[in-house]
Amino acid sequence: MAVDVTNPSPEYLAFWREYHLCTLTTPRSDGTPHVVPVGVTYDPGAGLARIITNKGSQKVTNILAAGPDGARVAVCQVDRGRWATLEGRATVRTEADVIADAVSRYAERYERTPAPNPDRVVIEIALDRALGRA
């Protein structure tokens, strides 16, 4: 079921605010999917999803390898019969203010503040598609 990325239903948005681990799918250099568990925050007002991670991770490598325009990715979460997927173009952000904002959003959703990490970056996904049944 298609969802408006910037104006989701209250139920869909509430589902993205609950504590759920998600998966991120990025393309490897050979075109095969690389799927890993992540924490994701969804900001419909900005049309963005954000993931905090280590700059040396494979997911970051995959996104950077796609070039300056980033990589097409998907994030998904499932809870029994409820599910939600967000799709868009991911880029890697390294600015301190962007990282601090993403950490704050993560702490709010996942109810814990991650330990400081000098190698932390943000995968920022400019969303263009949302699907789900919440």
Side-chain angles (χ1 to χ4, degrees):
M1 163 182 219
V3 174
D4 182 341
V5 170
T6 59
N7 189 25
S9 71
E11 296 82 13
Y12 191 83
L13 186 55
F15 186 43
W16 276 105
R17 290 189 172 149
E18 294 173 9
Y19 187 113
H20 295 286
L21 287 179
C22 305
T23 59
L24 168 68
T25 303
T26 60
R28 291 186 182 103
S29 59
D30 66 2
T32 60
H34 177 256
V35 183
V36 293
V38 293
V40 176
T41 60
Y42 173 34
D43 180 357
L48 297 172
R50 297 176 182 90
I51 299 162
I52 58 174
T53 190
N54 198 320
K55 68 181 178 184
S57 69
Q58 185 62 51
K59 55 191 163 284
V60 167
T61 299
N62 293 344
I63 293 165
L64 293 175
D69 291 334
R72 187 104 187 120
V73 303
V75 290
C76 183
Q77 66 181 22
V78 178
D79 180 38
R80 299 180 187 205
R82 298 184 305 156
W83 62 276
T85 299
L86 300 170
E87 299 178 21
R89 184 138 321 260
T91 54
V92 178
R93 303 286 303 267
T94 60
E95 303 92 335
D97 60 327
V98 172
I99 294 169
D101 179 57
V103 166
S104 174
R105 291 170 187 276
Y106 177 96
E108 183 178 335
R109 180 175 187 194
Y110 292 100
E111 300 176 351
R112 73 172 194 84
T113 301
N117 178 355
D119 292 331
R120 181 171 288 134
V121 297
V122 175
I123 296 172
E124 190 175 82
I125 306 167
L127 302 170
D128 59 24
R129 183 178 295 163
L131 306 165
R133 185 181 316 271

